[in-house]
Amino acid sequence: MDCQDYITGPAERKKGQHLQREERGVIQHLKCQGYTNRAIAREIGCLPSTVANELRRGIPPRKSNKGRKPGYSARHGEAVYKANRKHSRKHHRICRCAHFLRWVVKQFKEHKWSLDSCVGYARLHGLFPADEMVCTRTLYNEVLAGNLTCL
């Protein structure tokens, strides 16, 4: 049976792509075998600085000066990576505007105002400080995303 359509070689990495769990495992295995950072980088198709950063991320901190220095752990590297990614995103501005959102929902339900009318009225009459309000587009985006289910 001919298998000409199957890819048997390693997939090429795109520039700027994050390391996958399998690549972290390869780094751990090759580092235990004594490969240098440059050799590991050639094997997985990334920059040596990426390997150095991953090794720094995946080595747990020492608890004392006694005993052997801890080595790289792909599991620890993955856990630190996920924790860093969780904190890297910008928080929604809408989280700081709870009072304004309650007012908008009240106007929307009781007086049948549109979201645009609510924002315009609040701005015109200065009901809320500018940093505690969001624009009409943000409100509509949050409704479409399902984050404002009360409307």
Side-chain angles (χ1 to χ4, degrees):
M1 182 194 283
D2 280 338
C3 296
Q4 296 174 354
D5 296 334
Y6 295 130
I7 300 172
T8 56
E12 290 188 27
R13 290 178 50 83
K14 293 181 183 176
K15 185 177 180 179
Q17 188 178 25
H18 294 244
L19 289 175
Q20 302 297 318
R21 183 181 311 148
E22 295 82 18
E23 293 166 331
R24 287 184 173 88
V26 169
I27 290 173
Q28 181 177 351
H29 180 72
L30 294 178
K31 198 62 179 175
C32 287
Q33 290 183 347
Y35 278 65
T36 64
N37 290 0
R38 288 188 181 280
I40 295 171
R42 256 184 274 142
E43 286 291 322
I44 62 174
C46 67
L47 294 174
S49 61
T50 303
V51 174
N53 291 337
E54 180 58 31
L55 289 172
R56 193 175 317 112
R57 181 184 300 128
I59 296 176
R62 286 186 86 155
K63 296 179 180 170
S64 70
N65 289 332
K66 297 178 182 178
R68 218 169 45 183
K69 181 180 175 185
Y72 173 75
S73 166
R75 242 184 222 152
H76 188 264
E78 181 82 10
V80 171
Y81 165 76
K82 286 184 177 180
N84 290 344
R85 287 292 290 170
K86 191 179 289 183
H87 298 296
S88 69
R89 292 174 182 85
K90 186 177 178 183
H91 296 291
H92 284 288
R93 184 167 174 221
I94 203 157
C95 297
R96 297 183 306 231
C97 305
H99 187 61
F100 172 69
L101 290 177
R102 280 193 297 270
W103 182 82
V104 168
V105 169
K106 181 181 174 189
Q107 301 305 319
F108 184 83
K109 287 184 175 180
E110 289 180 7
H111 304 290
K112 306 292 185 207
W113 286 7
S114 69
L115 297 178
D116 194 30
S117 300
C118 293
V119 173
Y121 185 87
R123 280 199 183 137
L124 183 67
H125 296 292
L127 299 180
F128 301 94
D131 61 334
E132 293 181 11
M133 290 178 56
V134 293
C135 67
T136 306
R137 173 179 247 162
T138 302
L139 285 175
Y140 278 109
N141 286 341
E142 293 297 322
V143 168
L144 289 174
N147 297 336
L148 287 179
T149 56
C150 51
L151 298 181

